[in-house]
Amino acid sequence: MLIAAALLSLAACSKPAPQEGAAPPAAAVAVTVLKLQAAPVVLSDELPGRVAAFRTADIRPQVGGIVLRRQFEQGADVKAGQKLFQLNPAPFQAEVDSAAAALQHAVATAKRAGSQAERLKPLVEADAISRQAYDDAVAQREQAVATVAQARASLARRRLDLAFASIEAPIAGRIGPELVTEGALVGMADATPMARIQQIDKVYVDVRQPAAALAALQAAGADGADGKGGGADKLPVTILGADGRPHPVTGRILFSGISVDAGTGDAVIRVLVDNPQRQLLPGMFVRARIARAVRPDGVLLPQQAVLRASDGQAQAWVLDGQHKASLKPISVGDVVNHQYVVSGGLKAGDTVVIEGQERLQPGATAAPQPWKRAAAVAAAPPVSTVR
């Protein structure tokens, strides 16, 4: 037994002792990554604007008179030519009758003067009367004919005044409240209109933009939003509501930069917007998203993947083909749906770490998993940015 114990003791002493301070093999760091892809990106600006009616017509009388009745529903849609107010037609009818009588008198006088001139014509040829007497008869005939023409014009004018006593809508649109009531005396010199019609199935949105930014907008208009040309009217315009959600309407730029406000340095951009549901009302403040540049092969990088060095330099962790991590300086620009537009340092096909950067060291091996974009961000199309 003693011999066996001694042998076991010698075997145990012969085993090599473990080396102190040896590190175990490093485990791969779990991270989420995104492989960058190139896609068309349209950069745009969000600018404040105010809605204006496509057409506005103040209803004013063309003759003076007493308002008998209103013939429309306030706040309703009216058609062009629809009767709105009726003035008392009695004075105008009396003037029409008087002008008609004056015309009859002028016609009778002209007929008599014509007959007189015809009777004197053979007498003057026979030297039975003086030439002066015949010339006077011809002149009276011509004066009578002119009086007939004047009477006809006066009758036409009186009939026109009678027609103006019925006030009609000059344009189609939505009419506001009545600004005069039955029994009111109205005239052509009144400062207050009787009512106001606004066409709002289409509206203007007047947007203010710094004049310094007009060059980029005009360049985008020359190239077209799709990069194929087409002018400023091809630039996409989205109207945003107070909650930031786009209105279900479309718009296009009519003109920009005709003049610059000397006080603010802003230029006005007028946008024509379809408004079939009448959701945009004149005077309403909105925001318009206007395209200013297009990148056919833009690269987008989620914001959480971008780190900042002490000097402000943007950086991102990138994995190579062996999943080795390295920290690269990059250049980023505008923000599109919570993603930076990459302008340098990265390219399509690079694998960038989105989450788990705090556990990485240069040269460390990573265990990448695909990054899942948030549902709200994934649903938004990457075609615009807010400045």
Side-chain angles (χ1 to χ4, degrees):
M1 294 292 293
L2 291 175
I3 296 173
L7 293 174
L8 290 175
S9 176
L10 289 173
C13 291
S14 63
K15 291 183 179 179
Q19 297 180 1
E20 295 183 0
V29 180
V31 294
T32 60
V33 298
L34 175 68
K35 189 172 184 179
L36 301 182
Q37 297 180 351
V41 177
V42 178
L43 305 180
S44 61
D45 294 329
E46 278 190 18
L47 304 169
R50 175 176 282 185
V51 179
F54 182 69
R55 288 194 298 177
T56 301
D58 287 342
I59 307 305
R60 298 181 182 273
Q62 294 179 272
V63 292
I66 302 296
V67 179
L68 286 184
R69 58 185 175 273
R70 168 175 54 85
Q71 298 175 288
F72 65 91
E73 291 294 332
Q74 302 178 77
D77 290 331
V78 296
K79 299 179 180 179
Q82 179 177 333
K83 293 183 178 180
L84 303 178
F85 293 95
Q86 179 61 57
L87 304 183
N88 185 6
F92 307 108
Q93 184 62 57
E95 291 180 356
V96 168
D97 295 341
S98 176
L103 176 60
Q104 291 180 354
H105 180 270
V107 169
T109 301
K111 184 176 181 181
R112 185 183 60 185
S115 299
Q116 181 68 14
E118 289 298 325
R119 284 195 300 268
L120 294 180
K121 184 176 182 180
L123 295 179
V124 72
E125 292 175 353
D127 292 330
I129 61 173
S130 66
R131 187 72 185 182
Q132 181 66 43
Y134 176 72
D135 290 343
D136 290 343
V138 172
Q140 290 177 0
R141 181 185 65 186
E142 298 299 328
Q143 290 177 358
V145 171
T147 302
V148 169
Q150 184 178 8
R152 283 200 176 99
S154 179
L155 177 59
R157 176 61 191 178
R158 300 311 173 193
R159 286 174 175 170
L160 192 59
D161 290 343
L162 178 60
F164 287 157
S166 179
I167 301 175
E168 300 176 350
I171 64 172
R174 182 164 294 177
I175 193 167
E178 61 174 359
L179 303 179
V180 296
T181 59
E182 288 87 347
L185 176 62
V186 296
M188 292 182 290
D190 292 347
T192 303
M194 304 177 70
R196 180 174 288 113
I197 300 175
Q198 299 182 97
Q199 182 181 347
I200 58 175
D201 58 343
K202 294 185 290 186
V203 295
Y204 295 123
V205 176
D206 293 330
V207 179
R208 290 187 171 272
Q209 184 181 49
L214 282 179
L217 179 63
Q218 292 169 352
D223 295 337
D226 54 1
K228 300 180 181 179
D233 60 342
K234 299 299 183 181
L235 293 176
V237 178
T238 302
I239 304 301
L240 307 177
D243 56 357
R245 296 182 179 180
H247 278 284
V249 294
T250 59
R252 62 183 181 90
I253 295 177
L254 294 181
F255 61 82
S256 63
I258 288 182
S259 61
V260 177
D261 191 322
T264 62
D266 293 340
V268 174
I269 302 172
R270 170 153 283 192
V271 179
L272 178 61
V273 181
D274 295 326
N275 190 32
Q277 303 300 323
R278 276 71 167 177
Q279 294 179 338
L280 300 176
L281 301 178
M284 181 183 294
F285 283 98
V286 296
R287 296 187 68 83
R289 183 179 293 163
I290 301 177
R292 58 178 168 81
V294 60
R295 295 190 177 182
D297 298 320
V299 176
L300 298 178
L301 179 64
Q303 287 180 297
Q304 59 264 46
V306 178
L307 306 176
R308 294 287 178 177
S310 58
D311 59 354
Q313 172 65 49
Q315 298 174 321
W317 285 97
V318 180
L319 300 184
D320 59 14
Q322 286 73 40
H323 299 167
K324 298 292 184 179
S326 61
L327 189 60
K328 296 182 61 176
I330 63 174
S331 299
V332 294
D334 297 278
V335 177
V336 177
N337 298 331
H338 307 288
Q339 301 177 92
Y340 283 114
V341 178
V342 178
S343 55
L346 295 174
K347 62 183 183 301
D350 287 344
T351 301
V352 181
V353 177
I354 308 299
E355 297 171 339
Q357 305 100 318
E358 67 279 0
R359 298 188 296 270
L360 290 176
Q361 295 292 332
T365 301
Q369 295 293 328
W371 176 69
K372 295 183 179 179
R373 191 187 307 270
V377 176
V383 295
S384 62
T385 184
V386 179
R387 294 192 55 166

